[in-house]
Structures are given as structure tokens and as C-alpha cells.
Amino acid sequence: LRSRQPLNPQNAPQTELEEAGLRFLAGHPGETYYAQESLGGRRYFTGVYPETAVDQACADCHNRQTAARPVWRPGDLMGGLVVRVALEF
């Protein structure tokens, strides 16, 4: 899971493609971002899928973590799930 407003810094975007995918999701609700990237000398097909607050309990938990974040509501885009598939084995 990646987010542009992560509660845990380890969940911040780690690659340019992850950052691009999260920006895309923010402007295209309900869509998925797909691209290819090279990491460590290997090529990957990567998808960034929208991760939303599925119910009030998700939003409440994230809202309790810190007041410096936006107030989340059910259905809000909170980040993305990054899935990579190696194109070369």
C-alpha cells in the first residue's frame, strides 16, 4: 500500500511510477494506473489500484492517527495498492 499522505513513512511512494500512479488515481476516480518499469535490472508490469476507505471504521482509524491529515470519509481515496509482475524470469 502506498499513499501520498501515509501514516507510516514506509508507505510513501518509493518509485517515480508509484508517485505517478497515485497522482493519476487522484484525478481519475475508480480507474487503475498501469505502466512498465525497471527495478534492479529487471522489467516489471506494474498496476496501481485505488485504495479507498471502505467504511466509517477505516476512516475513523486513520483520522485518529493524527490531526495533520485530511479528514477521511467512507469512499475517499486514501492511496493505492501497488502490484508488480516481473516481465523477465
Side-chain angles (χ1 to χ4, degrees):
L1 292 174
R2 298 288 186 236
S3 176
R4 296 179 77 202
Q5 299 98 11
L7 295 177
N8 181 335
Q10 292 179 352
N11 292 346
Q14 302 294 312
T15 67
E16 290 180 27
L17 186 142
E18 291 176 1
E19 178 65 35
L22 292 172
R23 281 194 316 269
F24 176 85
L25 295 179
H28 299 86
E31 294 188 35
T32 303
Y33 181 82
Y34 298 105
Q36 290 185 28
E37 65 182 333
S38 293
L39 298 170
R42 295 182 71 185
R43 290 183 331 131
Y44 293 87
F45 177 77
T46 303
V48 183
Y49 298 85
E51 184 67 27
T52 59
V54 294
D55 60 31
Q56 191 62 50
C58 298
D60 289 345
C61 183
H62 280 262
N63 289 336
R64 276 194 307 271
Q65 300 299 317
T66 179
R69 303 276 191 266
V71 175
W72 302 108
R73 293 178 177 80
D76 285 351
L77 178 71
M78 298 176 82
L81 173 67
V82 178
V83 177
R84 288 187 176 89
V85 177
L87 295 173
E88 303 164 338
F89 296 98

